[in-house]
Amino acid sequence: MRLSVIPCLQGFTTPVKPLSKAVTKTFKLFYRQIEKYNSKSDFNSTAKTFKVIQNNEDVLRSIRKINRINSAKSINTYDFSTLYTKIPHQKLLEVLNELVDFCFKGGTDEQLSLTKTGLIFDRIAIKDAIKYLMGKCYFTFGEKIFRQIIGIPMGSDPAPFMANLFLYHYESNWIRNLKKNSIQRARMFRHTFRYIDDLLTINDNDEFSKSFIDIYPPELQLNLEHSGNQVSFLDLQITN
């Protein structure tokens, strides 16, 4: 049997695909803004609050730093098995709406103009667009049509950004609270990285394995993928 997505147009005059691409562009802008915010706030801190990466550059930078003092101790990788399939829509909407508010609060304009698409969003319109795209995702299974009511629509343009920002929300809140209560423990996560649903920890004294159940919402299942002297992460083979 073949699965296919069927867009349902109600409320928006913009077709689903262009709207999806426009929302993706806004998420890219929000991601960069959040990344810059964390970079500034973490500038003089050894306990980083932003663990999200787009490539292997930060990982290689950490490895070089560790190798300079010959202090490599442990490496572990993890992956989410239910990231795209188990997130409740209401919880996802609440998190994304909060991040939209955060990004507009940190900006200078009340509207966001996407010149190539001709669309202009204010914060309410972006929230409405996100809710619309999540609520109007249909697929066929055989001769039946279903509407997805839980999980991120896999294959849609903004899906990776939705997943990334959703996880970031919980990670940043948890590490900020930890920094207030135990800066020494928070520093153990300075060589922790996440690329969408894959995580890497280096020299964390098993802190992540003890803590991830408290970091992420209960709907998500995180599994230890590799542990020991050799792991794979992104396009890297890392050996201790």
Side-chain angles (χ1 to χ4, degrees), residues 64-79:
R64 286 193 290 268
K65 185 181 297 185
I66 291 170
N67 285 344
R68 278 199 295 269
I69 56 176
N70 196 29
S71 64
K73 298 176 182 177
S74 65
I75 47 177
N76 298 300
T77 59
Y78 303 79
D79 75 306

Side-chain angles (χ1 to χ4, degrees), residues 2-237:
R2 183 182 178 187
L3 297 177
S4 59
V5 174
I6 300 175
C8 179
L9 300 179
Q10 294 178 6
F12 277 87
T13 57
T14 304
V16 166
K17 191 63 175 180
L19 180 64
S20 178
K21 289 184 176 296
V23 169
T24 303
K25 289 181 183 295
T26 65
F27 280 159
K28 286 182 180 179
L29 294 174
F30 291 158
Y31 176 90
R32 291 174 191 154
Q33 186 173 346
I34 291 170
E35 185 178 34
K36 288 179 182 178
Y37 168 81
N38 282 275
S39 178
K40 290 181 180 179
S41 62
D42 290 343
F43 184 74
N44 293 316
S45 174
T46 55
K48 307 300 183 183
T49 56
F50 193 74
K51 307 297 183 184
V52 191
I53 58 173
Q54 297 295 307
N55 51 52
N56 64 22
E57 291 179 4
D58 288 338
V59 176
L60 292 174
R61 192 176 297 114
S62 276
I63 290 174
R64 286 193 290 268
K65 185 181 297 185
I66 291 170
N67 285 344
R68 278 199 295 269
I69 56 176
N70 196 29
S71 64
K73 298 176 182 177
S74 65
I75 47 177
N76 298 300
T77 59
Y78 303 79
D79 75 306
F80 288 96
S81 60
T82 59
L83 178 58
Y84 284 94
T85 57
K86 293 292 186 181
I87 298 175
H89 279 190
Q90 187 57 40
K91 186 172 288 188
L92 178 59
L93 282 172
E94 289 173 359
V95 168
L96 294 178
N97 285 346
E98 184 175 327
L99 292 174
V100 169
D101 287 335
F102 171 81
C103 289
F104 268 91
K105 183 179 179 180
T108 58
D109 298 320
E110 291 298 318
Q111 292 184 326
L112 181 63
S113 177
L114 303 176
T115 53
K116 291 185 178 181
T117 67
L119 295 176
I120 298 176
F121 287 127
D122 59 17
R123 71 172 71 195
I124 300 300
I126 292 176
K127 292 178 181 179
D128 287 344
I130 295 170
K131 183 177 181 179
Y132 172 80
L133 290 175
M134 288 174 54
K136 303 300 180 183
C137 184
Y138 292 79
F139 62 92
T140 61
F141 188 77
E143 296 180 354
K144 296 182 179 180
I145 299 176
F146 298 88
R147 182 169 69 88
Q148 184 170 350
I149 61 173
I150 188 170
I152 299 174
M154 294 180 66
S156 64
D157 291 304
F161 285 95
M162 286 182 176
N164 242 342
L165 293 173
F166 182 78
L167 295 179
Y168 158 77
H169 168 82
Y170 290 95
E171 293 162 347
S172 62
N173 285 346
W174 187 84
I175 199 71
R176 289 182 198 282
N177 288 329
L178 183 62
K179 286 169 72 172
K180 295 176 184 177
N181 299 314
S182 176
I183 188 64
Q184 292 80 10
R185 187 176 169 214
R187 286 170 180 157
M188 298 303 297
F189 294 87
R190 63 186 178 275
H191 300 303
T192 299
F193 307 94
R194 180 176 57 78
Y195 180 81
I196 307 180
D197 56 353
D198 294 320
L199 289 110
L200 169 71
T201 64
I202 306 176
N203 286 6
D204 72 330
N205 196 31
D206 287 331
E207 282 292 341
F208 184 78
S209 65
K210 301 172 187 175
S211 305
F212 70 76
I213 194 171
D214 298 319
I215 301 174
Y216 301 105
E219 294 85 1
L220 301 184
Q221 181 178 335
L222 185 65
N223 304 309
L224 176 64
E225 191 174 31
H226 297 291
S227 179
N229 295 326
Q230 183 172 323
V231 302
S232 299
F233 185 71
L234 297 179
D235 56 345
L236 303 175
Q237 287 285 339

